[in-house]
Amino acid sequence: MDLDETDRRLLNALQRQGRLSNAELSEKVNLSPSACHRRVQRLEKDGFISGYVALVNPRKVDRKTIVFVEITLRAQADDVLDAFEKSVARIPDVLECHLMAGQADYLLKVVAEDAEDFARIHRRYLASLPGVQGMQSSFALRTVRQTTALPV
């Protein structure tokens, strides 16, 4: 399914304010409430909208430290990659895990209370990940830009 300009306006509005009522959304994108509701349902059904979430302020839940961890594996065999991915998916402090091209095999985005908490996460989880040959951690000093809104 191709997106038309109205679909794009709907997606942009919902990415910025996911709790808009159908009436508010329809007014924002200049559609009747019934047409707006049908289009949003179609966007959900077709997988353009994969879910709705509340974005929690990490500082309010004492997770103000962000660490990017580059991981290099011993081998690139499917069983090694699968074992690593299954294990990393069970670590609650890992927000993102990306298979990479380049120097590192994986890039993780980890949240922690502080450096001491990251040391705990490292000892308890990261150091025991299967197939790891090397690990390089970089602490974010400040977040300059962060968004969940995709350009559509």
Side-chain angles (χ1 to χ4, degrees), residues 16-80:
R16 283 164 181 71
Q17 290 180 281
R19 289 186 59 155
L20 286 172
S21 70
N22 186 62
E24 292 168 323
L25 182 59
S26 67
E27 189 174 307
K28 240 185 205 319
V29 298
N30 298 318
L31 276 179
S32 71
S34 59
C36 180
H37 183 68
R38 280 192 305 275
R39 279 188 180 248
V40 170
Q41 282 185 316
R42 182 176 44 80
L43 290 166
E44 291 169 347
K45 180 180 154 284
D46 291 345
F48 287 96
I49 298 172
S50 60
Y52 298 88
V53 299
L55 299 176
V56 177
N57 182 337
R59 291 190 171 284
K60 295 289 187 179
V61 293
D62 209 17
R63 294 290 184 273
K64 59 186 177 274
T65 302
I66 298 170
V67 185
F68 294 95
V69 182
E70 294 179 12
I71 305 243
T72 306
L73 298 180
R74 289 188 188 96
Q76 297 290 313
D78 283 343
D79 61 328
V80 175

Side-chain angles (χ1 to χ4, degrees), residues 96-145:
E96 298 176 21
C97 174
H98 304 274
L99 177 62
M100 304 296 289
Q103 288 278 337
D105 294 312
Y106 286 93
L107 178 65
L108 309 181
K109 180 179 179 182
V110 179
V111 290
E113 293 175 19
D114 51 27
E116 186 177 317
D117 187 43
F118 178 72
R120 175 196 61 82
I121 295 164
H122 186 279
R123 276 191 317 277
R124 183 170 179 192
Y125 298 110
L126 302 179
S128 62
L129 285 168
V132 174
Q133 177 181 328
M135 202 177 310
Q136 173 71 43
S137 301
S138 299
F139 283 71
L141 298 177
R142 180 168 47 109
T143 299
V144 177
R145 177 168 171 23

